[in-house]
Amino acid sequence: MRTTTPKAPHAGRRRRIGTAFAATAALAAAGLGTAAHATAATATVTHKVSAKAVAAQVAKAHVQYEKAGCGATPKKGFAACDALRVTGGTTAFMEQQAALKGIAPRTVKPNAASDSPTGYGPSDIQSAYGLTDAASANGSGETVAIVDAYDDPNAEADLATYRSYYGLSDCTTDNGCFKKVSQTGSTTSLPSADSGWAGEESLDLDVVSATCPNCNILLVEAKSASDANLGTAVNEAVKLGAKFVSNSYGGSESSSDTSYDTSYYKHAGVAITASAGDEAYGAEYPAASRYVTAVGGTALKTASNSRGWTESVWKTSSTEGTGSGCSSYDAKPSWQTDTSCSKRMIADVSAVADPATGVSVYDSYGSDGTGWNTYGGTSASSPLIASVYALAGTPGSSDYPAQYPYAAAGTSALNDVTSGNNGSCSVSYYCTAKSGYDGPTGWGTPEGTGAFTG
């Protein structure tokens, strides 16, 4: 297991401007950029290109990827992470940059990280989900908790590198923004380190930073990936005051799930999110818990429409894509009204998860890619949605916030995803996108924060 000290975070003002430009110029091309963005684009771009042309090139994105080291099929009573790391090919972000600059796209070298971002960053995420204003003004005083297994020794240092690169404010232990604890709340007696879970933790921390830059972040590390230890870590996150808790892991459903519900995930007044899974059609737990917001995954690409972006169900193959489905054990919550599934239906909402349209992550611990990586999987969508809840404000003390998007169903507060599927199923909406509610994407993706408040 290799540990690497991160590069100094002042990785060049020139690089940060280039990265910021790629995103802001795309907005300008789509007619969505601010005056400041337009000025930056004018000063930097010499190649004129239409939004339609950018979108056409972005559509060519194609990558190879691997499960993170924490993603192997778990044994009974344990969970795997839902993170996928890009190891080769060209991402949507790289195609976007190339189109805007009028150059051939570079590629990710197999099994190698990059010295600069190759995935979507904060401005892309905020633009795609109508969060730019909220991300600037909201989130102060709110804490988003990340629950994962094992220790990432470089978590704080890697977070600092990510935030410095993108010009985000410091989030450190010293200034009270960042805190890392074990499942018992200890800051000193932490679990053993694990490079696979370290990549997952970097993904989660960076997505929270990108979506809610003003939020505090609490990282709770379970001593193993057992359902019981991860659940105990969720309880500790709530005990420490987090009102928003993301869980980017899952495993097979079992008859024990209903007891896990009440022991670990039933926390009124707390928005708890869970990844829907990365193995295409099929239900997993804890996404199946009626007390969590189950988050599906999409492919997110720039477009020449008024939004500037388009989404479809993420599916790479018959065994790779967002999870969805009708739970075998968990009861249907009263606010979920689809008629064919008599129990809990997955998902509720969704966000970017396709590795080809993945997010930028900085990770320096372990041998599976040190430096800038692009990650996908519903491990990206869960912390994103938890952070949108945080931007929307503290939930009502007696509420289970998974119901909030249902109150906004069919409104402009959600982007309805109507194309794509994640496999074959006996009931069409269980696995195929359509207008309105469907399993793979739920009621859609955020358009601002209106669907995530009571």
Side-chain angles (χ1 to χ4, degrees), residues 422-437:
N422 64 348
S424 300
C425 54
S426 58
V427 181
S428 178
Y429 79 87
Y430 286 12
C431 64
T432 304
K434 68 180 188 65
S435 179
Y437 180 83

PDB file of all heavy atoms in Angstrom, residues 422-437:
ATOM      1  N   ASN A 422     -32.023   0.876 -17.475  1.00  0.00           N
ATOM      2  CA  ASN A 422     -30.902   0.208 -16.809  1.00  0.00           C
ATOM      3  C   ASN A 422     -31.033  -1.312 -16.851  1.00  0.00           C
ATOM      4  O   ASN A 422     -30.459  -2.020 -16.029  1.00  0.00           O
ATOM      5  CB  ASN A 422     -30.758   0.694 -15.353  1.00  0.00           C
ATOM      6  CG  ASN A 422     -31.954   0.348 -14.488  1.00  0.00           C
ATOM      7  OD1 ASN A 422     -33.001  -0.059 -14.996  1.00  0.00           O
ATOM      8  ND2 ASN A 422     -31.821   0.522 -13.187  1.00  0.00           N
ATOM      9  N   GLY A 423     -31.808  -1.804 -17.838  1.00  0.00           N
ATOM     10  CA  GLY A 423     -31.932  -3.244 -18.000  1.00  0.00           C
ATOM     11  C   GLY A 423     -33.332  -3.654 -18.401  1.00  0.00           C
ATOM     12  O   GLY A 423     -34.123  -2.846 -18.897  1.00  0.00           O
ATOM     13  N   SER A 424     -33.641  -4.922 -18.181  1.00  0.00           N
ATOM     14  CA  SER A 424     -34.953  -5.474 -18.513  1.00  0.00           C
ATOM     15  C   SER A 424     -35.726  -5.760 -17.231  1.00  0.00           C
ATOM     16  O   SER A 424     -35.151  -6.165 -16.217  1.00  0.00           O
ATOM     17  CB  SER A 424     -34.794  -6.779 -19.301  1.00  0.00           C
ATOM     18  OG  SER A 424     -34.078  -6.557 -20.496  1.00  0.00           O
ATOM     19  N   CYS A 425     -37.040  -5.541 -17.285  1.00  0.00           N
ATOM     20  CA  CYS A 425     -37.864  -5.752 -16.093  1.00  0.00           C
ATOM     21  C   CYS A 425     -39.291  -6.064 -16.522  1.00  0.00           C
ATOM     22  O   CYS A 425     -39.692  -5.798 -17.657  1.00  0.00           O
ATOM     23  CB  CYS A 425     -37.831  -4.506 -15.201  1.00  0.00           C
ATOM     24  SG  CYS A 425     -38.276  -2.966 -16.040  1.00  0.00           S
ATOM     25  N   SER A 426     -40.047  -6.625 -15.602  1.00  0.00           N
ATOM     26  CA  SER A 426     -41.410  -7.038 -15.932  1.00  0.00           C
ATOM     27  C   SER A 426     -42.387  -5.868 -15.952  1.00  0.00           C
ATOM     28  O   SER A 426     -43.414  -5.916 -16.628  1.00  0.00           O
ATOM     29  CB  SER A 426     -41.899  -8.088 -14.923  1.00  0.00           C
ATOM     30  OG  SER A 426     -41.842  -7.568 -13.600  1.00  0.00           O
ATOM     31  N   VAL A 427     -42.069  -4.818 -15.191  1.00  0.00           N
ATOM     32  CA  VAL A 427     -42.895  -3.606 -15.156  1.00  0.00           C
ATOM     33  C   VAL A 427     -42.038  -2.467 -15.708  1.00  0.00           C
ATOM     34  O   VAL A 427     -40.999  -2.138 -15.138  1.00  0.00           O
ATOM     35  CB  VAL A 427     -43.366  -3.282 -13.725  1.00  0.00           C
ATOM     36  CG1 VAL A 427     -44.233  -2.027 -13.725  1.00  0.00           C
ATOM     37  CG2 VAL A 427     -44.125  -4.460 -13.133  1.00  0.00           C
ATOM     38  N   SER A 428     -42.463  -1.869 -16.797  1.00  0.00           N
ATOM     39  CA  SER A 428     -41.607  -0.965 -17.562  1.00  0.00           C
ATOM     40  C   SER A 428     -40.946   0.125 -16.716  1.00  0.00           C
ATOM     41  O   SER A 428     -39.730   0.360 -16.816  1.00  0.00           O
ATOM     42  CB  SER A 428     -42.425  -0.315 -18.688  1.00  0.00           C
ATOM     43  OG  SER A 428     -41.624   0.598 -19.414  1.00  0.00           O
ATOM     44  N   TYR A 429     -41.720   0.803 -15.866  1.00  0.00           N
ATOM     45  CA  TYR A 429     -41.136   1.945 -15.168  1.00  0.00           C
ATOM     46  C   TYR A 429     -40.128   1.548 -14.090  1.00  0.00           C
ATOM     47  O   TYR A 429     -39.385   2.381 -13.586  1.00  0.00           O
ATOM     48  CB  TYR A 429     -42.231   2.842 -14.580  1.00  0.00           C
ATOM     49  CG  TYR A 429     -42.873   2.369 -13.293  1.00  0.00           C
ATOM     50  CD1 TYR A 429     -42.321   2.679 -12.057  1.00  0.00           C
ATOM     51  CD2 TYR A 429     -44.056   1.645 -13.314  1.00  0.00           C
ATOM     52  CE1 TYR A 429     -42.914   2.260 -10.861  1.00  0.00           C
ATOM     53  CE2 TYR A 429     -44.670   1.229 -12.137  1.00  0.00           C
ATOM     54  CZ  TYR A 429     -44.094   1.532 -10.917  1.00  0.00           C
ATOM     55  OH  TYR A 429     -44.690   1.127  -9.757  1.00  0.00           O
ATOM     56  N   TYR A 430     -40.064   0.258 -13.755  1.00  0.00           N
ATOM     57  CA  TYR A 430     -39.058  -0.197 -12.802  1.00  0.00           C
ATOM     58  C   TYR A 430     -37.640   0.026 -13.343  1.00  0.00           C
ATOM     59  O   TYR A 430     -36.709   0.231 -12.565  1.00  0.00           O
ATOM     60  CB  TYR A 430     -39.208  -1.689 -12.501  1.00  0.00           C
ATOM     61  CG  TYR A 430     -40.352  -2.087 -11.619  1.00  0.00           C
ATOM     62  CD1 TYR A 430     -41.386  -1.203 -11.287  1.00  0.00           C
ATOM     63  CD2 TYR A 430     -40.418  -3.378 -11.097  1.00  0.00           C
ATOM     64  CE1 TYR A 430     -42.436  -1.605 -10.473  1.00  0.00           C
ATOM     65  CE2 TYR A 430     -41.466  -3.789 -10.282  1.00  0.00           C
ATOM     66  CZ  TYR A 430     -42.483  -2.893  -9.983  1.00  0.00           C
ATOM     67  OH  TYR A 430     -43.526  -3.305  -9.184  1.00  0.00           O
ATOM     68  N   CYS A 431     -37.493  -0.049 -14.661  1.00  0.00           N
ATOM     69  CA  CYS A 431     -36.143   0.015 -15.248  1.00  0.00           C
ATOM     70  C   CYS A 431     -36.017   0.989 -16.416  1.00  0.00           C
ATOM     71  O   CYS A 431     -34.912   1.159 -16.943  1.00  0.00           O
ATOM     72  CB  CYS A 431     -35.698  -1.376 -15.701  1.00  0.00           C
ATOM     73  SG  CYS A 431     -36.695  -2.090 -17.033  1.00  0.00           S
ATOM     74  N   THR A 432     -37.100   1.637 -16.820  1.00  0.00           N
ATOM     75  CA  THR A 432     -37.069   2.494 -18.007  1.00  0.00           C
ATOM     76  C   THR A 432     -37.578   3.881 -17.678  1.00  0.00           C
ATOM     77  O   THR A 432     -38.640   4.037 -17.053  1.00  0.00           O
ATOM     78  CB  THR A 432     -37.935   1.889 -19.132  1.00  0.00           C
ATOM     79  OG1 THR A 432     -37.473   0.558 -19.417  1.00  0.00           O
ATOM     80  CG2 THR A 432     -37.854   2.731 -20.394  1.00  0.00           C
ATOM     81  N   ALA A 433     -36.837   4.888 -18.110  1.00  0.00           N
ATOM     82  CA  ALA A 433     -37.245   6.273 -17.862  1.00  0.00           C
ATOM     83  C   ALA A 433     -38.489   6.612 -18.666  1.00  0.00           C
ATOM     84  O   ALA A 433     -38.695   6.125 -19.772  1.00  0.00           O
ATOM     85  CB  ALA A 433     -36.116   7.224 -18.221  1.00  0.00           C
ATOM     86  N   LYS A 434     -39.313   7.467 -18.079  1.00  0.00           N
ATOM     87  CA  LYS A 434     -40.500   7.961 -18.755  1.00  0.00           C
ATOM     88  C   LYS A 434     -40.858   9.313 -18.162  1.00  0.00           C
ATOM     89  O   LYS A 434     -40.274   9.748 -17.163  1.00  0.00           O
ATOM     90  CB  LYS A 434     -41.666   6.984 -18.594  1.00  0.00           C
ATOM     91  CG  LYS A 434     -42.189   6.878 -17.167  1.00  0.00           C
ATOM     92  CD  LYS A 434     -43.339   5.902 -17.081  1.00  0.00           C
ATOM     93  CE  LYS A 434     -44.007   5.904 -15.719  1.00  0.00           C
ATOM     94  NZ  LYS A 434     -44.684   7.192 -15.397  1.00  0.00           N
ATOM     95  N   SER A 435     -41.817   9.978 -18.741  1.00  0.00           N
ATOM     96  CA  SER A 435     -42.296  11.229 -18.177  1.00  0.00           C
ATOM     97  C   SER A 435     -42.918  10.966 -16.814  1.00  0.00           C
ATOM     98  O   SER A 435     -43.718  10.042 -16.652  1.00  0.00           O
ATOM     99  CB  SER A 435     -43.334  11.855 -19.121  1.00  0.00           C
ATOM    100  OG  SER A 435     -43.837  13.058 -18.583  1.00  0.00           O
ATOM    101  N   GLY A 436     -42.519  11.734 -15.815  1.00  0.00           N
ATOM    102  CA  GLY A 436     -43.007  11.506 -14.464  1.00  0.00           C
ATOM    103  C   GLY A 436     -42.111  10.540 -13.713  1.00  0.00           C
ATOM    104  O   GLY A 436     -40.918  10.437 -13.980  1.00  0.00           O
ATOM    105  N   TYR A 437     -42.686   9.793 -12.790  1.00  0.00           N
ATOM    106  CA  TYR A 437     -41.875   8.916 -11.940  1.00  0.00           C
ATOM    107  C   TYR A 437     -41.414   7.666 -12.686  1.00  0.00           C
ATOM    108  O   TYR A 437     -42.165   7.037 -13.427  1.00  0.00           O
ATOM    109  CB  TYR A 437     -42.669   8.483 -10.693  1.00  0.00           C
ATOM    110  CG  TYR A 437     -41.835   7.577  -9.801  1.00  0.00           C
ATOM    111  CD1 TYR A 437     -40.945   8.126  -8.891  1.00  0.00           C
ATOM    112  CD2 TYR A 437     -41.899   6.192  -9.945  1.00  0.00           C
ATOM    113  CE1 TYR A 437     -40.139   7.313  -8.109  1.00  0.00           C
ATOM    114  CE2 TYR A 437     -41.102   5.370  -9.159  1.00  0.00           C
ATOM    115  CZ  TYR A 437     -40.214   5.943  -8.251  1.00  0.00           C
ATOM    116  OH  TYR A 437     -39.411   5.136  -7.496  1.00  0.00           O
TER     117      TYR A 437
END
